[in-house]
Amino acid sequence: MPALTGSKLRGAIAGICGLAFLLFGYDQGVLGAVIGLPSFRSEFNDPDRNMEGVIAAIYDIGCFLGAILAFMTADRWGRKGSIKWGSWIMVVGTILQTSAVERVQMIISRVITGIGNGVNTVNVPIWQAESFKSNNRGAMLVIQSALIALGHPLSTFMGLASSQDKETSFAWRWPIAFQGVFLVAILAVLPFLPESPRWLISHDRVEEATRVFAQLEGADATVNDPKIVRERDMVLSSVQHEREVGEISWGEVFTEGPNRNISRVLLGAGPYMMNQWSGINCLAYFLPITFERNIGLSTELSLVIAGVLGVQYFLVSWLPYFFIEKAGRRKVLMSSAAGCSFCMIMISVMLYVDTLASQWVFVAFTFLFFDIFSWGILPVSWMYASEIMPLRTRNKGVALGVSCHWLSNFVVVYVTPIAIENLGYRLYIIWACLNASFVPITWFFYPETARRSLEDMDEVFLNERFGITKTRSPGQKKLPFEMTKEEKMDEFGENGEKQEMAPVH
């Protein structure tokens, strides 16, 4: 394969990251698409509500273990190397799931698949964030979150199609085996793509990192171009500053220190937990059987409606691409949380009324909940931690955030079948209250990252103490390689000397 450069190279990186996120979304939806099929229930001795929760949620325990594994190894393996090993682990898990003939094998294989996915969900956002410019970093991560949304209807329609074979286990084995298609594509292309230049610099591979910066810039760029040298030197300066603090230790991530590590870990974990405690996977993991058990729809009609909802979810999740950099992370997160709270209130009311008309209004507000979730909580949750963590502890900080995500996911998915049966409409009141609480939390504590480079965020945290943030608007500063000739003259002067700049607020 000829060497890719510029937009083609960035597109290839985005494509592989997108496949990894598409696989993540597919995995979240595939069990819900097959768990109600007669052939699946017959194969695994008609699992009760508790066992349904175990089979579904044990995957999230695997993802949690994968995130912890990434915490311990990814700084050594690299971003790209970690994704390679995570994908191979998923290959093993997929083979074991597809061939499962008893509950124990299915449970163990879902843990193995989850470990691989946990490794990938830590490293994919970091690799992409460290390979893209600040003015399109958020938009590219929106595309990845949209592909998570695409995974849901894809798994649902795959389950619907194969469910027409009512007599054999093919109906549920094929949708699970289909994960392998994504994994083969990822593993085939990954060797031709570069490692994160920021990771390379942090491991003293400066010349290689400079070449990667030039490749990412375009075919005409060279390692001696001023814009490439400036970008390299900016990352070098950040790495040198972090090294002045001393060698990183395991405990450093959990201490404040000059880099405010624990503050960033806590803030980075927050959006991941908001993602889960919004109630999204109370619906997403069991969407078809939610429609069956809450409003009495048939299995096939439930799968059709769940698939249509997923397609709409995917289409709407592209909208933040057009405004997330201008509006900023904070505004889209707060508006999304407020809208999700309203939808959960209406879902609860409709289930309480329990008429034919209210049942279909329940479906309508479920559609609306997914749409509102997709424009704010979904994209921000997967980009925020990688944007605020210092390079020195970025992998470990993001890994801790992702591990919080998967632990929360496990709790939500495990209790959902039991909660639907025992709490009914009251369950959705709990989700409404949690979503409402995200609005003041975000307003008071979360600094804005939009239009700020990863190195700019270091300055933000150096200038603010943990508590109520003053950084509430998207940044105005552009990186040198993003500037027009006139903007460079304004900033660097006619003689190339840097002019005084306003501090980041």
Side-chain angles (χ1 to χ4, degrees):
M1 179 183 291
L4 299 175
T5 59
S7 60
K8 290 182 179 179
L9 177 57
R10 295 193 299 273
I13 293 172
I16 291 303
C17 292
L19 275 179
F21 273 108
L22 177 60
L23 176 58
F24 166 40
Y26 186 90
D27 270 350
Q28 283 192 308
V30 70
L31 190 74
V34 302
I35 199 169
L37 299 179
S39 58
F40 183 93
R41 305 195 70 81
S42 174
E43 188 79 47
F44 298 104
N45 300 319
D46 195 19
D48 59 17
R49 301 291 185 264
N50 182 65
M51 183 52 62
E52 285 179 355
V54 170
I55 294 173
I58 202 68
Y59 171 79
D60 301 313
I61 292 296
C63 292
F64 167 75
L65 295 174
I68 297 301
L69 179 62
F71 179 95
M72 296 187 292
T73 63
D75 278 332
R76 183 170 68 253
W77 291 350
R79 317 309 189 209
K80 192 179 80 166
S82 296
I83 295 168
K84 179 187 73 174
W85 287 112
S87 298
W88 275 115
I89 292 170
M90 292 191 75
V91 168
V92 174
T94 298
I95 292 171
L96 292 175
Q97 276 191 82
T98 304
S99 61
V101 294
E102 57 183 23
R103 291 179 182 179
V104 173
Q105 182 180 345
M106 175 59 74
I107 289 170
I108 293 173
S109 60
R110 282 183 62 77
V111 171
I112 294 172
T113 307
I115 290 172
N117 190 56
V119 172
N120 286 354
T121 52
V122 169
N123 286 281
V124 167
I126 298 176
W127 186 36
Q128 184 160 281
E130 291 181 347
S131 300
F132 283 83
K133 303 174 185 178
S134 65
N135 67 325
N136 60 13
R137 185 180 65 235
M140 294 308 300
L141 286 167
V142 165
I143 294 175
Q144 312 313 320
S145 62
L147 290 170
I148 295 176
L150 177 61
H152 285 274
L154 183 59
S155 64
T156 300
F157 283 127
M158 193 68 70
L160 176 63
S162 63
S163 70
Q164 304 309 304
D165 178 4
K166 300 182 184 298
E167 302 300 324
T168 72
S169 62
F170 176 85
W172 66 266
R173 294 188 193 275
W174 167 244
I176 292 175
F178 190 75
Q179 299 170 78
V181 174
F182 307 121
L183 292 166
V184 168
I186 291 169
L187 291 168
V189 177
L190 203 58
F192 300 98
L193 301 178
E195 180 57 87
S196 157
R198 287 171 169 83
W199 181 85
L200 292 171
I201 287 176
S202 70
H203 286 72
D204 298 318
R205 294 160 63 177
V206 179
E207 291 185 6
E208 185 178 349
T210 308
R211 290 196 297 271
V212 174
F213 277 129
Q215 284 180 276
L216 290 167
E217 184 63 27
D220 297 331
T222 69
V223 294
N224 296 317
D225 283 354
K227 56 189 173 184
I228 301 301
V229 173
R230 279 195 296 269
E231 187 173 11
R232 179 203 65 195
D233 289 348
M234 186 160 48
V235 179
L236 264 174
S237 176
S238 177
V239 170
Q240 289 167 356
H241 169 73
E242 291 169 359
R243 285 178 175 174
E244 288 172 2
V245 182
E247 289 295 322
I248 186 170
S249 65
W250 290 104
E252 183 178 336
V253 181
F254 302 99
T255 58
E256 190 70 350
N259 285 329
R260 295 191 54 207
N261 292 320
I262 193 62
S263 296
R264 299 200 208 190
V265 168
L266 293 173
L267 290 170
Y272 283 119
M273 297 184 72
M274 292 178 192
N275 181 310
Q276 291 305 312
W277 294 105
S278 68
I280 183 66
N281 281 323
C282 172
L283 297 170
Y285 262 70
F286 299 101
L287 197 56
I289 64 173
T290 296
F291 289 145
E292 285 184 56
R293 293 172 185 173
N294 277 327
I295 59 178
L297 300 181
S298 67
T299 299
E300 288 194 356
L301 182 56
S302 295
L303 284 167
V304 170
I305 294 176
V308 172
L309 185 155
V311 171
Q312 180 175 308
Y313 179 39
F314 165 65
L315 294 175
V316 174
S317 65
W318 283 85
L319 293 179
Y321 180 90
F322 302 102
F323 58 73
I324 197 164
E325 292 297 343
K326 183 176 181 180
R329 318 302 190 234
R330 286 164 47 88
K331 286 183 180 178
V332 297
L333 181 57
M334 289 187 289
S335 62
S336 178
C340 287
S341 179
F342 172 74
C343 288
M344 284 298 190
I345 290 171
M346 296 306 299
I347 286 172
S348 179
V349 170
M350 293 305 109
L351 288 176
Y352 176 76
V353 173
D354 195 24
T355 64
L356 180 62
S358 71
Q359 289 172 355
W360 286 105
V361 175
F362 160 83
V363 173
F365 274 102
T366 301
F367 271 68
L368 185 60
F369 175 86
F370 273 76
D371 293 345
I372 295 173
F373 175 86
S374 71
W375 84 45
I377 296 176
L378 174 63
V380 174
S381 66
W382 285 104
M383 68 176 66
Y384 194 82
S386 61
E387 293 184 318
I388 65 169
M389 292 302 300
L391 179 59
R392 176 183 176 82
T393 57
R394 186 168 295 146
N395 174 75
K396 290 180 171 60
V398 173
L400 288 170
V402 173
S403 65
C404 290
H405 169 93
W406 290 118
L407 273 182
S408 299
N409 200 348
F410 168 76
V411 174
V412 170
V413 174
Y414 177 71
V415 304
T416 288
I418 303 169
I420 289 175
E421 189 166 319
N422 294 302
L423 293 179
Y425 74 91
R426 298 175 186 86
L427 173 63
Y428 302 93
I429 296 175
I430 296 172
W431 301 131
C433 294
L434 288 169
N435 277 289
S437 72
F438 302 156
V439 177
I441 290 172
T442 302
W443 171 259
F444 284 114
F445 300 112
Y446 279 81
E448 182 56 70
T449 64
R451 297 297 301 166
R452 290 186 170 88
S453 71
L454 302 181
E455 288 70 37
D456 283 338
M457 291 310 300
D458 290 338
E459 294 296 321
V460 169
F461 281 94
L462 286 172
N463 293 330
E464 289 187 358
R465 295 183 178 180
F466 182 72
I468 297 176
T469 185
K470 296 179 181 178
T471 310
R472 294 173 179 163
S473 300
Q476 298 301 317
K477 190 178 84 171
K478 294 183 179 180
L479 296 177
F481 56 79
E482 298 174 324
M483 296 178 180
T484 64
K485 182 177 180 180
E486 291 74 15
E487 289 172 326
K488 289 179 181 178
M489 290 285 289
D490 290 340
E491 176 148 350
F492 294 97
E494 293 185 356
N495 297 321
E497 296 179 0
K498 186 168 177 61
Q499 307 299 303
E500 187 68 24
M501 293 188 67
V504 178
H505 297 291

